[in-house]
Amino acid sequence: MSKDDDTNQAEELEDEQEQPHDIWSGIIAFGLVSVPVSLFPAQRGKITLKMVDAKGAPLKRQFFSGNDPQPLERDDIVRSYEIEKYHYVVVEDEELEALEPKKSREIDLQRFVPISAINPIYFERAYFLVPDSDTTKAYRLLAKSMEDEHKAGIATFVMHGKDYLVAIVAERGILRAETLRFHDELRTPEQVGLPPRQAADKKTVERMRAAIKKLVHKNFDSELLSDPHTRNLQLRVKEKLKSGTDVLKAPEEAEAAEGESNVIDLMQILKERLQGRSPSSKSAHSTNRGKPRGR
């Protein structure tokens, strides 16, 4: 693991937000079943504001020691585990590399459990599992069987040099992988100061139920998921761009823009692969751009 890995991973996450592409490919394996898939981030990134100088030039990050005003060179920076304040144990790059799990292109599906048995608090990040366009039969059968049985598959796999535990769920014929938080990553109710559960009197419970009943709706309104802050910020940026107010452009910035959109339509790719067709040229162009495989 190089000293740039932390920065590179942050850049990869940024790329996932701006130019979604499949970030891993391999197989779902259990028993004698083998399902070739690619992994696509399900989330689009939120709007971000980039830091530049007053003339629009990008900024360069430098690190400084509290004991020296001069910027540190790369070789002067080490990773460390903090034992207590100002007390560290240095961990060398070679040691981290030795601790990395063995690279694998396999999602090891170890068991199936009822979906209702998984507490949503463990869900961390969602990914679409997209089938290989040449072999969709096993994908279809697995998705239908899991959906009919209301089961989730619990599996492990390695990506970016890290072990992940995932829940594989099926919805409308599509498989999705939800990375799961490990138990030691979660706080308990007691740790955040929640009081122990107490019995409530019958009248109080009835009043609460009545209040809930008044607000019950048959379906969840997806319009509630609209982010007003992002929408208002985008409108403000468009207004300033149209009026030419506070518009910066660094002299070194390239004038040419890419001729086609880098945003891919995951549903279109899923549809084409499930029909046994390769993704369209535009989708494939976006998908293959800078794609890290089998990490």
Side-chain angles (χ1 to χ4, degrees):
M1 179 181 291
S2 72
K3 292 179 181 177
D4 289 334
D5 281 353
D6 292 337
T7 302
N8 290 341
Q9 188 161 350
E11 289 173 353
E12 286 172 2
L13 292 176
E14 213 170 87
D15 286 342
E16 287 176 21
Q17 296 173 356
E18 297 177 358
Q19 302 176 22
H21 51 70
D22 52 331
I23 60 172
W24 185 92
S25 64
I27 60 170
I28 299 174
F30 65 100
L32 299 178
V33 179
S34 177
V35 184
V37 292
S38 298
L39 202 68
F40 281 82
Q43 292 97 333
R44 291 182 183 272
K46 292 187 176 182
I47 188 171
T48 57
L49 299 177
K50 297 188 179 294
M51 305 296 286
V52 297
D53 70 10
K55 295 182 180 180
L59 304 182
K60 180 180 179 180
R61 178 180 295 177
Q62 291 184 309
F63 291 92
F64 296 85
S65 167
N67 302 321
D68 190 342
Q70 295 300 316
L72 294 171
E73 297 295 330
R74 184 173 300 172
D75 291 339
D76 296 325
I77 302 173
V78 297
R79 288 189 177 90
S80 66
Y81 184 91
E82 186 175 31
I83 304 300
E84 56 187 37
K85 194 171 183 179
Y86 307 127
H87 185 192
Y88 310 94
V89 173
V90 172
V91 182
E92 300 289 352
D93 293 341
E94 294 77 11
E95 295 176 291
L96 290 175
E97 290 172 2
L99 293 173
E100 286 185 356
K102 184 179 179 181
K103 289 184 179 180
S104 172
R105 299 176 69 86
E106 182 175 297
I107 297 177
D108 183 16
L109 207 166
Q110 300 172 352
R111 66 185 66 183
F112 292 94
V113 300
I115 294 176
S116 58
I118 306 174
N119 190 327
I121 196 172
Y122 287 105
F123 289 133
E124 183 176 33
R125 187 174 175 86
Y127 297 86
F128 285 116
L129 290 166
V130 180
D132 187 307
S133 58
D134 298 325
T135 54
T136 62
K137 184 176 180 180
Y139 181 98
R140 289 175 179 272
L141 288 173
L142 179 59
K144 177 172 173 52
S145 300
M146 291 175 60
E147 194 166 1
D148 289 347
E149 297 295 326
H150 303 287
K151 292 292 191 295
I154 304 300
T156 58
F157 79 109
V158 177
M159 181 172 65
H160 300 314
K162 179 181 176 183
D163 286 307
Y164 285 90
L165 181 67
V166 295
I168 299 175
V169 298
E171 186 177 11
R172 292 180 294 181
I174 296 171
L175 293 176
R176 192 175 69 250
E178 299 274 355
T179 56
L180 299 174
R181 296 181 176 92
F182 292 108
H183 185 71
D184 58 2
E185 295 179 298
L186 296 172
R187 292 187 174 95
T188 65
E190 293 75 21
Q191 288 173 331
V192 298
L194 288 174
R197 186 165 57 178
Q198 297 178 344
D201 64 271
K202 186 176 180 180
K203 289 185 177 180
T204 302
V205 172
E206 289 176 353
R207 285 199 300 269
M208 184 63 69
R209 287 177 177 172
I212 292 173
K213 189 174 181 180
K214 290 180 180 179
L215 297 176
V216 168
H217 290 255
K218 290 184 178 180
N219 299 301
F220 175 71
D221 188 354
S222 60
E223 291 184 2
L224 295 172
L225 298 175
S226 176
D227 183 355
H229 173 74
T230 297
R231 183 175 62 251
N232 293 336
L233 180 56
Q234 289 174 325
L235 289 173
R236 182 58 180 156
V237 169
K238 287 180 180 179
E239 289 172 359
K240 300 188 81 169
L241 185 61
K242 186 176 181 180
S243 66
T245 306
D246 294 333
V247 178
L248 304 176
K249 191 172 185 181
E252 297 81 9
E253 190 173 64
E255 294 290 338
E258 296 217 8
E260 58 182 310
S261 171
N262 285 324
V263 179
I264 60 174
D265 186 342
L266 282 178
M267 292 302 106
Q268 180 64 24
I269 290 177
L270 279 164
K271 181 180 178 181
E272 290 177 356
R273 291 198 182 180
L274 287 171
Q275 290 175 349
R277 295 187 284 128
S278 296
S280 63
S281 59
K282 181 176 179 180
S283 296
H285 176 80
S286 299
T287 302
N288 292 327
R289 185 186 304 278
K291 175 171 56 179
R293 307 287 291 185
R295 290 189 178 182

